[in-house]
Amino acid sequence: QEDDFDIAREIAVLTRSRTDIGAVVSFSGICRADEDSSRIAALTLEHYPGMAEEEIKRHVDEAMSRWPLNGVTVIHRVGRFMPGQN
């Protein structure tokens, strides 16, 4: 997706009304600026539609086959990111 997201909201959706979840593990990349915050105005991330989703699904399927996961949420952002955005 191109839109930013709220990770706390996504975790709340994943865990809503669930009593069988003992932990939530998350990873969220954040676009960062240079140390002086002046040289990086934005980051543009491109992907190959279809191929990227297939590869992400392969990783999710492997994780679910290896561990007893109760749920998975994957948000793969593309497009232009400003420093500080997910």
Side-chain angles (χ1 to χ4, degrees):
Q1 71 183 40
E2 291 192 21
D3 296 330
D4 201 0
F5 61 94
D6 179 345
I7 191 139
R9 183 181 148 289
E10 297 299 330
I11 291 170
V13 168
L14 182 66
T15 61
R16 184 175 295 128
S17 301
R18 302 288 299 266
T19 59
D20 57 336
I21 295 175
V24 174
V25 178
S26 65
F27 169 82
S28 179
I30 302 168
C31 180
R32 66 177 175 216
D34 282 339
E35 290 177 11
D36 64 5
S37 299
S38 64
R39 294 186 298 183
I40 296 178
L43 168 76
T44 300
L45 180 63
E46 297 177 346
H47 76 301
Y48 294 100
M51 185 182 348
E53 291 83 357
E54 185 177 311
E55 186 65 13
I56 291 167
K57 182 181 181 318
R58 187 179 70 76
H59 287 286
V60 170
D61 290 346
E62 180 179 345
M64 294 191 80
S65 73
R66 293 177 68 180
W67 298 289
L69 303 179
N70 296 82
V72 174
T73 299
V74 175
I75 299 171
H76 180 249
R77 286 204 55 205
V78 296
R80 185 175 171 90
F81 302 81
M82 305 306 290
Q85 288 186 321
N86 296 310

